[in-house]
Amino acid sequence: MKVGFIGLGAMGRPMALHLQRAGHEMFVWARRPASANGLPATLCSSPAELGRRCEVVFTIITSSADVEAVALGPEGLIEGMAPDSVLVDCSTIAPDAARRIAAKLGEKGIHMLDAPVSGGAQGAIDATLAIMAGGDAAVLERVRPLLACLGKRIVHIGPNGAGQVAKACNQMIMVAAIEAAAEAMRLAAASGVDCAKVKQALAGGSAASRVLDVMGERMVKRDFAAGIEARLHHKDFGLVLEAARKSGVPVPLTASVAQQLNALMALGWGKDDTASLLRVLERA
Amino acid sequence: MKIAFIGLGIMGRPMALNLLKGGHQVTVWARRAASMQPLLDAGATGAAGPAEATHGNELVISMVADAPDVAEVMRGVAQGAAPGLVAVDMSTIAPAAARQIGVDLAAAGVDFMDAPVSGGEVGAIAGTLSIMAGGSDAAFAKAKPAFECMGKNVVHVGASGAGQVAKAANQIVTGMGVLAVAEAFAFAAKNGVDRSKVREALLGGFAYSKILENHGQRMLDRNFKPGFKSWMHEKDLNIVMQTAHELGLCLPGSAATAQMFNAMVGSGMGEEDSIAVLKLLERLSGQE
């Protein structure tokens, strides 16, 4: 199949490679063409041109505004994609924005799925991402073989926007768990106890979690190189709090963790791993 | 002075009336014609829109709901403006939004000032508002006689946006203040202690505040009529939290407070006074 891919960052690049290795003909567009270097793919001059040449297009970029510009802006996908072709947006953006973009594309008969992913750069490399899809179930079935190249757990959550809601829930739980791990590590250290031993003991009990495994390990080793850059979690928390506000749902823990993320940003660790929440605690 | 006043809601109406009482010539416009009538009856001139209201006046004042409303009104003002016009927005909006409107209006030769207020409907009627102004010295000097008809504590805080920063700071203190008094009362009641006695005792010490005195009394009376509606306090705290997010600023107390107000709006208490946060606390602790 002719597959387009936009967003060749830490997540996007390994995802594009998996699709290529599965035998698909790849077309890419990048704001900085250099980011496509070394990819066995055809470089297009605009999202519109890429859209004209592909049956399915993947995007994984940073913000709601970026996705809107690539999909709907001048020389955007909407100008090139044929009716009945499919945009699969794997970015993490606001549920509202996903619904808006899907509606605009729908006017031209172009299908869209919001299909944000969880699992980080390692999950992208290992093709073990969790994929949460919002949109038409039949459209999801059409692209499921492609998604199966990227992840193991592919769940249809509901209509457009539902995938982004699930991703917001994912971020709430995950970053709160990182903060909990950081606070536990901090308490252990301040009590003169070996953090590595605490983490090792906890891994066998009810507090065991993937976050404790991965982020806890980084905290113990004081290895704060990203992983997923904390600034992206900070961005996501802005989306979560906005969604909570629009629904009138109190999220006291999320709001509190968001303040720790604000502190992290202020201290200049936005490009480091979110395990840096430990370093925020050490400042107090 | 010849003044145009745009936005005649709970706050705007008494503020415009006080300008008339102060001897100024006032032209008014409001989206709903009915809101204009009390002002016309009191001697104001009516206009058909912001541009027409602006035409021929030295000073324009707006008092509307949110940043998009202010931007829309000010686009009209720019159309009706003669060079050197001073436009003052007294609504509560984000500092960044106020700065942007200032920049846009400067291009049209209008000197813009943000001057949000504190003191509520009572202060607006009595002409005792606190006014926090941000903008040029010249704009402040021009608007000062008008400010003095509407408020008592008039402070030129700084450059464009500074008034809104002060107002956001005000909402941090009042939001947490209301929650603090409500929590103290919930604490007293759960311990079986008379909250009115607690209030009386605290009024003599370091916990004294206007909020403990006035809002506290209304909590004791269980008078939850607004006053200041909780959805508006939620809106204002959202400005605080968004600004904190953009700047990288850790505000744990404001964040917790904002979530309490968020819960109030979500559970149907948005139209009640923000002191109804007491009811939310009581519900959470099984004190109903």
Side-chain angles (χ1 to χ4, degrees), chain B residues 126-203:
Chain B
T128 56
L129 293 169
S130 276
I131 300 177
M132 310 155 228
S136 73
D137 290 338
F140 184 71
K142 182 82 186 177
K144 203 171 176 217
F147 288 157
E148 281 167 352
C149 299
M150 299 183 282
K152 268 196 169 156
N153 185 27
V154 180
V155 180
H156 186 196
V157 181
S160 184
Q164 297 294 354
V165 171
K167 179 63 192 277
N170 183 75
Q171 299 309 77
I172 293 173
V173 175
T174 55
M176 272 194 261
V178 167
L179 182 55
V181 171
E183 290 191 8
F185 283 4
F187 181 80
K190 193 88 173 181
N191 281 286
V193 171
D194 183 345
R195 11 183 160 193
S196 67
K197 295 283 184 206
V198 170
R199 173 178 165 278
E200 201 182 319
L202 266 50
L203 282 176

Coordinates of all heavy atoms in Angstrom, one line a residue, chain B residues 126-203:
Chain B
A126 N -21.6 51.5 45.3 CA -21.2 52.5 46.2 C -20.1 53.4 45.7 O -19.7 54.4 46.3 CB -20.7 51.8 47.5
G127 N -19.5 53.0 44.5 CA -18.4 53.8 44.0 C -17.1 53.6 44.8 O -16.3 54.5 44.9
T128 N -17.0 52.4 45.4 CA -15.8 52.2 46.2 C -14.9 51.0 45.7 O -14.3 50.3 46.5 CB -16.3 51.8 47.7 OG1 -17.1 50.6 47.6 CG2 -17.0 52.9 48.3
L129 N -15.0 50.8 44.4 CA -14.2 49.7 43.8 C -12.7 50.0 44.0 O -12.2 51.1 44.1 CB -14.5 49.6 42.3 CG -15.9 49.2 41.9 CD1 -16.1 49.4 40.4 CD2 -16.1 47.7 42.3
S130 N -11.9 48.8 44.1 CA -10.5 48.9 43.9 C -10.2 48.8 42.4 O -10.7 47.9 41.7 CB -9.8 47.8 44.6 OG -9.6 48.1 45.9
I131 N -9.4 49.8 41.9 CA -9.1 49.8 40.4 C -7.6 49.6 40.2 O -6.8 50.3 40.8 CB -9.6 51.1 39.8 CG1 -11.1 51.2 40.0 CG2 -9.3 51.1 38.3 CD1 -11.8 52.5 39.5
M132 N -7.2 48.6 39.4 CA -5.8 48.3 39.2 C -5.5 48.5 37.7 O -6.0 47.8 36.9 CB -5.6 46.8 39.5 CG -6.1 46.4 40.9 SD -6.5 44.6 41.0 CE -8.1 44.7 41.7
A133 N -4.7 49.6 37.5 CA -4.6 50.0 36.1 C -3.2 49.7 35.5 O -2.2 49.8 36.2 CB -4.8 51.6 36.0
G134 N -3.2 49.3 34.3 CA -2.0 49.0 33.6 C -1.9 49.8 32.2 O -2.9 49.6 31.5
G135 N -0.9 50.5 32.0 CA -0.8 51.3 30.7 C 0.1 52.5 30.9 O 0.8 52.6 31.9
S136 N 0.0 53.4 30.0 CA 0.9 54.6 30.0 C 0.4 55.6 31.1 O -0.7 55.6 31.5 CB 0.8 55.3 28.6 OG -0.4 56.0 28.5
D137 N 1.4 56.5 31.5 CA 1.1 57.5 32.5 C 0.0 58.5 31.9 O -0.9 58.9 32.6 CB 2.3 58.3 32.8 CG 3.3 57.5 33.6 OD1 2.9 56.6 34.2 OD2 4.5 57.9 33.6
A138 N 0.1 58.8 30.6 CA -0.8 59.7 29.9 C -2.2 59.1 30.0 O -3.2 59.9 30.3 CB -0.4 60.0 28.5
A139 N -2.4 57.9 29.7 CA -3.7 57.2 29.7 C -4.3 57.2 31.1 O -5.4 57.5 31.3 CB -3.6 55.8 29.2
F140 N -3.4 57.0 32.1 CA -3.8 57.0 33.5 C -4.3 58.3 33.9 O -5.4 58.5 34.6 CB -2.7 56.5 34.4 CG -3.2 56.3 35.8 CD1 -4.0 55.3 36.2 CD2 -2.7 57.2 36.8 CE1 -4.5 55.2 37.5 CE2 -3.1 57.1 38.1 CZ -4.0 56.1 38.5
A141 N -3.5 59.4 33.5 CA -3.9 60.7 33.9 C -5.3 61.1 33.3 O -6.1 61.7 33.9 CB -2.8 61.7 33.4
K142 N -5.5 60.7 32.0 CA -6.7 61.0 31.3 C -7.9 60.3 32.0 O -9.0 60.9 32.2 CB -6.6 60.5 29.9 CG -7.8 60.8 29.0 CD -7.7 62.2 28.5 CE -9.0 62.6 27.7 NZ -8.9 64.0 27.3
A143 N -7.7 59.0 32.4 CA -8.8 58.2 32.9 C -9.1 58.4 34.4 O -10.1 58.1 34.9 CB -8.5 56.7 32.7
K144 N -8.1 59.1 35.1 CA -8.2 59.2 36.6 C -9.5 59.8 37.1 O -10.1 59.3 38.0 CB -6.9 59.9 37.1 CG -6.7 59.5 38.5 CD -5.4 60.1 39.0 CE -5.2 59.8 40.5 NZ -4.6 60.8 41.3
P145 N -9.9 60.9 36.5 CA -11.2 61.5 37.0 C -12.3 60.6 36.9 O -13.2 60.5 37.8 CB -11.4 62.7 36.1 CG -10.0 63.0 35.5 CD -9.3 61.7 35.4
A146 N -12.3 59.7 35.8 CA -13.4 58.8 35.7 C -13.3 57.7 36.7 O -14.2 57.3 37.4 CB -13.4 58.2 34.3
F147 N -12.0 57.2 36.9 CA -11.8 56.1 37.9 C -12.3 56.6 39.3 O -12.8 55.8 40.1 CB -10.3 55.8 38.0 CG -9.7 55.1 36.8 CD1 -8.4 55.1 36.5 CD2 -10.5 54.3 36.0 CE1 -7.8 54.4 35.5 CE2 -10.0 53.6 35.0 CZ -8.7 53.6 34.7
E148 N -12.0 57.9 39.6 CA -12.4 58.4 40.9 C -13.9 58.5 41.2 O -14.3 58.5 42.3 CB -11.7 59.7 41.2 CG -10.2 59.5 41.5 CD -9.3 60.7 41.5 OE1 -9.8 61.8 41.0 OE2 -8.2 60.6 41.9
C149 N -14.7 58.5 40.1 CA -16.1 58.4 40.3 C -16.6 57.0 40.6 O -17.6 56.8 41.2 CB -16.8 58.8 39.0 SG -16.5 60.5 38.5
M150 N -15.8 56.0 40.2 CA -16.2 54.6 40.3 C -15.5 53.8 41.5 O -16.0 52.8 42.0 CB -15.9 53.8 39.0 CG -16.6 54.4 37.8 SD -16.3 53.5 36.3 CE -14.6 54.1 35.8
G151 N -14.3 54.3 41.9 CA -13.6 53.6 42.9 C -12.9 54.5 43.9 O -12.8 55.7 43.7
K152 N -12.4 53.8 45.0 CA -11.7 54.6 46.0 C -10.2 54.3 45.9 O -9.4 55.2 46.0 CB -12.2 54.2 47.4 CG -13.4 55.0 47.8 CD -13.6 54.8 49.3 CE -14.6 55.9 49.9 NZ -15.2 55.4 51.1
N153 N -9.9 53.0 45.8 CA -8.4 52.7 45.8 C -8.0 52.5 44.4 O -8.1 51.4 43.8 CB -8.3 51.4 46.7 CG -6.8 51.0 46.8 OD1 -5.9 51.9 46.8 ND2 -6.6 49.7 47.0
V154 N -7.5 53.6 43.8 CA -7.1 53.6 42.4 C -5.6 53.5 42.3 O -4.9 54.4 42.8 CB -7.7 54.8 41.7 CG1 -7.3 54.8 40.2 CG2 -9.2 54.9 41.8
V155 N -5.0 52.5 41.7 CA -3.6 52.3 41.7 C -3.1 52.1 40.2 O -3.6 51.2 39.5 CB -3.1 51.1 42.6 CG1 -1.6 51.0 42.5 CG2 -3.5 51.3 44.0
H156 N -2.2 52.9 39.8 CA -1.5 52.7 38.5 C -0.4 51.6 38.8 O 0.7 52.0 39.3 CB -0.9 54.0 38.0 CG -0.4 53.8 36.6 ND1 0.4 54.8 36.0 CD2 -0.5 52.9 35.7 CE1 0.8 54.4 34.8 NE2 0.2 53.2 34.6
V157 N -0.7 50.4 38.4 CA 0.2 49.3 38.8 C 1.5 49.3 38.0 O 2.6 49.0 38.4 CB -0.5 47.9 38.7 CG1 0.4 46.8 39.2 CG2 -1.8 47.9 39.6
G158 N 1.3 49.5 36.7 CA 2.5 49.5 35.8 C 2.1 49.6 34.3 O 1.0 50.1 34.0
A159 N 2.9 48.9 33.5 CA 2.7 49.0 32.0 C 1.5 48.1 31.6 O 0.9 47.5 32.4 CB 4.0 48.6 31.3
S160 N 1.2 48.1 30.3 CA 0.1 47.4 29.8 C 0.1 45.9 30.3 O 1.1 45.3 30.2 CB 0.1 47.4 28.2 OG -1.0 46.8 27.7
G161 N -1.0 45.4 30.8 CA -1.1 44.1 31.3 C -1.0 44.0 32.8 O -1.4 43.1 33.4
A162 N -0.3 45.0 33.4 CA 0.0 45.0 34.8 C -1.3 45.0 35.7 O -1.3 44.4 36.7 CB 0.9 46.2 35.2
G163 N -2.3 45.7 35.2 CA -3.6 45.8 35.9 C -4.1 44.3 36.0 O -4.6 43.9 37.1
Q164 N -4.1 43.6 34.9 CA -4.6 42.3 34.9 C -3.8 41.3 35.7 O -4.3 40.4 36.3 CB -4.8 41.7 33.4 CG -5.7 42.5 32.5 CD -7.2 42.4 33.0 OE1 -7.5 41.7 33.9 NE2 -8.0 43.2 32.3
V165 N -2.5 41.6 35.8 CA -1.6 40.7 36.6 C -2.1 40.9 38.1 O -2.2 40.0 38.9 CB -0.1 41.1 36.4 CG1 0.7 40.4 37.5 CG2 0.3 40.7 35.0
A166 N -2.3 42.2 38.5 CA -2.7 42.5 39.8 C -4.1 41.9 40.1 O -4.3 41.3 41.2 CB -2.8 44.0 40.0
K167 N -5.0 41.9 39.1 CA -6.3 41.3 39.3 C -6.2 39.8 39.5 O -6.9 39.2 40.3 CB -7.2 41.7 38.2 CG -8.6 41.1 38.3 CD -9.4 41.6 39.5 CE -10.7 40.8 39.7 NZ -11.8 41.2 38.9
A168 N -5.3 39.2 38.7 CA -5.2 37.7 38.8 C -4.6 37.4 40.2 O -5.1 36.5 40.9 CB -4.2 37.2 37.7
A169 N -3.7 38.2 40.7 CA -3.1 38.1 42.0 C -4.2 38.2 43.1 O -4.3 37.5 44.0 CB -2.0 39.0 42.3
N170 N -5.1 39.2 42.8 CA -6.3 39.4 43.7 C -7.1 38.2 43.8 O -7.6 37.7 44.9 CB -7.1 40.6 43.2 CG -8.2 41.0 44.1 OD1 -8.1 41.5 45.1 ND2 -9.4 40.6 43.7
Q171 N -7.4 37.5 42.6 CA -8.2 36.3 42.6 C -7.6 35.2 43.3 O -8.3 34.3 43.8 CB -8.6 36.0 41.1 CG -9.4 37.1 40.4 CD -10.6 37.6 41.2 OE1 -10.4 38.4 42.2 NE2 -11.8 37.2 40.8
I172 N -6.2 35.1 43.2 CA -5.5 34.0 44.0 C -5.8 34.2 45.4 O -6.2 33.2 46.1 CB -4.0 34.1 43.7 CG1 -3.7 33.8 42.3 CG2 -3.3 33.2 44.7 CD1 -2.2 34.0 41.9
V173 N -5.7 35.4 45.9 CA -5.8 35.7 47.4 C -7.3 35.5 47.8 O -7.6 34.9 48.8 CB -5.3 37.1 47.7 CG1 -5.6 37.4 49.2 CG2 -3.8 37.2 47.4
T174 N -8.2 36.0 47.0 CA -9.6 35.9 47.4 C -10.1 34.5 47.2 O -10.9 34.0 48.1 CB -10.5 36.9 46.6 OG1 -10.4 36.6 45.2 CG2 -10.2 38.3 46.9
G175 N -9.7 33.8 46.2 CA -10.1 32.4 46.0 C -9.7 31.5 47.1 O -10.5 30.8 47.7
M176 N -8.4 31.6 47.4 CA -7.9 30.8 48.5 C -8.4 31.3 49.8 O -8.6 30.5 50.8 CB -6.3 30.8 48.5 CG -5.8 29.7 47.7 SD -4.0 29.4 48.0 CE -3.3 30.3 46.6
G177 N -8.7 32.6 49.9 CA -9.2 33.1 51.2 C -10.6 32.6 51.5 O -10.9 32.2 52.6
V178 N -11.5 32.5 50.5 CA -12.8 32.0 50.6 C -12.7 30.5 51.0 O -13.4 30.1 52.0 CB -13.6 32.2 49.3 CG1 -14.9 31.4 49.4 CG2 -13.9 33.7 49.1
L179 N -11.9 29.8 50.3 CA -11.7 28.3 50.6 C -11.2 28.2 52.0 O -11.6 27.3 52.8 CB -10.8 27.7 49.6 CG -10.6 26.2 49.7 CD1 -11.9 25.4 49.8 CD2 -9.7 25.7 48.6
A180 N -10.2 29.0 52.5 CA -9.6 28.9 53.8 C -10.7 29.1 54.9 O -10.8 28.3 55.8 CB -8.5 29.9 54.0
V181 N -11.5 30.1 54.7 CA -12.6 30.4 55.7 C -13.6 29.2 55.7 O -14.0 28.7 56.8 CB -13.3 31.7 55.4 CG1 -14.5 31.9 56.3 CG2 -12.3 32.9 55.6
A182 N -13.9 28.7 54.5 CA -14.9 27.6 54.4 C -14.3 26.4 55.1 O -15.0 25.7 55.9 CB -15.2 27.3 53.0
E183 N -13.0 26.1 54.9 CA -12.4 24.9 55.5 C -12.3 25.1 57.1 O -12.5 24.1 57.8 CB -11.0 24.7 54.9 CG -11.0 24.2 53.5 CD -9.7 23.7 53.0 OE1 -8.7 23.6 53.7 OE2 -9.6 23.4 51.7
A184 N -12.0 26.3 57.5 CA -12.0 26.6 59.0 C -13.4 26.3 59.6 O -13.5 25.7 60.7 CB -11.5 28.0 59.2
F185 N -14.4 26.7 58.9 CA -15.8 26.6 59.4 C -16.1 25.1 59.4 O -16.8 24.6 60.3 CB -16.8 27.4 58.6 CG -16.8 28.8 58.9 CD1 -15.9 29.4 59.8 CD2 -17.7 29.7 58.3 CE1 -15.8 30.7 60.1 CE2 -17.7 31.1 58.6 CZ -16.8 31.6 59.5
A186 N -15.8 24.4 58.3 CA -16.1 22.9 58.2 C -15.3 22.2 59.3 O -15.9 21.3 60.0 CB -15.7 22.4 56.9
F187 N -14.1 22.6 59.6 CA -13.3 22.0 60.7 C -13.9 22.2 62.0 O -14.1 21.3 62.9 CB -11.9 22.7 60.6 CG -10.9 22.2 61.6 CD1 -10.2 21.0 61.4 CD2 -10.7 22.9 62.8 CE1 -9.3 20.5 62.4 CE2 -9.8 22.4 63.7 CZ -9.1 21.2 63.5
A188 N -14.4 23.5 62.3 CA -15.0 23.8 63.6 C -16.3 22.9 63.7 O -16.5 22.3 64.8 CB -15.4 25.3 63.6
A189 N -17.1 22.9 62.7 CA -18.4 22.2 62.8 C -18.2 20.7 63.0 O -18.9 20.1 63.9 CB -19.2 22.4 61.5
K190 N -17.2 20.1 62.3 CA -17.0 18.6 62.5 C -16.5 18.3 63.9 O -16.7 17.2 64.4 CB -16.0 18.2 61.4 CG -15.9 16.7 61.2 CD -16.9 16.1 60.2 CE -16.6 14.6 60.0 NZ -17.6 14.1 59.0
N191 N -15.8 19.3 64.5 CA -15.4 19.2 65.9 C -16.5 19.5 66.9 O -16.2 19.6 68.1 CB -14.1 20.0 66.1 CG -12.9 19.3 65.6 OD1 -12.4 18.4 66.1 ND2 -12.4 19.8 64.4
G192 N -17.7 19.8 66.4 CA -18.7 20.2 67.3 C -18.7 21.5 67.9 O -19.2 21.8 69.0
V193 N -17.9 22.4 67.3 CA -17.7 23.8 67.8 C -18.6 24.8 67.0 O -18.7 24.7 65.8 CB -16.2 24.1 67.8 CG1 -16.0 25.6 68.2 CG2 -15.5 23.2 68.8
D194 N -19.1 25.8 67.7 CA -19.9 26.8 67.1 C -19.1 27.7 66.2 O -18.2 28.4 66.6 CB -20.6 27.7 68.2 CG -21.5 28.7 67.7 OD1 -21.4 29.0 66.4 OD2 -22.3 29.3 68.5
R195 N -19.4 27.6 64.9 CA -18.5 28.4 63.9 C -18.6 29.9 64.1 O -17.7 30.6 63.8 CB -18.8 28.0 62.5 CG -20.0 27.2 62.1 CD -19.9 26.9 60.6 NE -20.8 25.7 60.4 CZ -20.8 25.1 59.2 NH1 -20.0 25.4 58.3 NH2 -21.6 24.1 59.0
S196 N -19.8 30.4 64.6 CA -19.9 31.8 64.7 C -19.0 32.3 65.8 O -18.4 33.4 65.7 CB -21.4 32.2 64.9 OG -21.8 31.7 66.2
K197 N -18.8 31.5 66.9 CA -17.9 31.9 67.9 C -16.4 31.8 67.4 O -15.6 32.7 67.8 CB -18.0 30.9 69.1 CG -19.4 30.9 69.8 CD -19.5 32.2 70.7 CE -20.8 32.2 71.5 NZ -21.2 33.5 71.8
V198 N -16.2 30.8 66.6 CA -14.8 30.7 66.0 C -14.5 32.0 65.2 O -13.5 32.6 65.3 CB -14.7 29.5 65.1 CG1 -13.4 29.5 64.4 CG2 -14.7 28.2 66.0
R199 N -15.5 32.4 64.3 CA -15.3 33.6 63.5 C -15.0 34.8 64.4 O -14.1 35.6 64.2 CB -16.5 33.8 62.7 CG -16.5 35.1 61.9 CD -17.7 35.3 61.0 NE -17.9 36.7 60.5 CZ -18.4 37.7 61.3 NH1 -18.9 37.4 62.5 NH2 -18.5 38.9 60.8
E200 N -15.9 34.9 65.4 CA -15.8 36.1 66.3 C -14.4 36.1 67.0 O -13.7 37.2 67.0 CB -16.8 35.9 67.4 CG -17.2 37.2 68.2 CD -18.2 36.8 69.3 OE1 -19.2 36.0 69.0 OE2 -18.1 37.4 70.4
A201 N -13.9 35.0 67.4 CA -12.6 34.9 68.0 C -11.5 35.3 67.1 O -10.6 36.0 67.4 CB -12.3 33.5 68.6
L202 N -11.6 34.7 65.8 CA -10.5 34.9 64.8 C -10.4 36.3 64.3 O -9.4 36.8 63.9 CB -10.7 33.9 63.7 CG -10.0 32.6 63.7 CD1 -10.2 31.9 65.1 CD2 -10.4 31.7 62.6
L203 N -11.6 37.0 64.4 CA -11.6 38.4 63.8 C -10.6 39.3 64.6 O -10.2 40.3 64.1 CB -13.0 39.0 63.9 CG -13.9 38.5 62.8 CD1 -15.3 39.1 63.0 CD2 -13.4 38.9 61.4

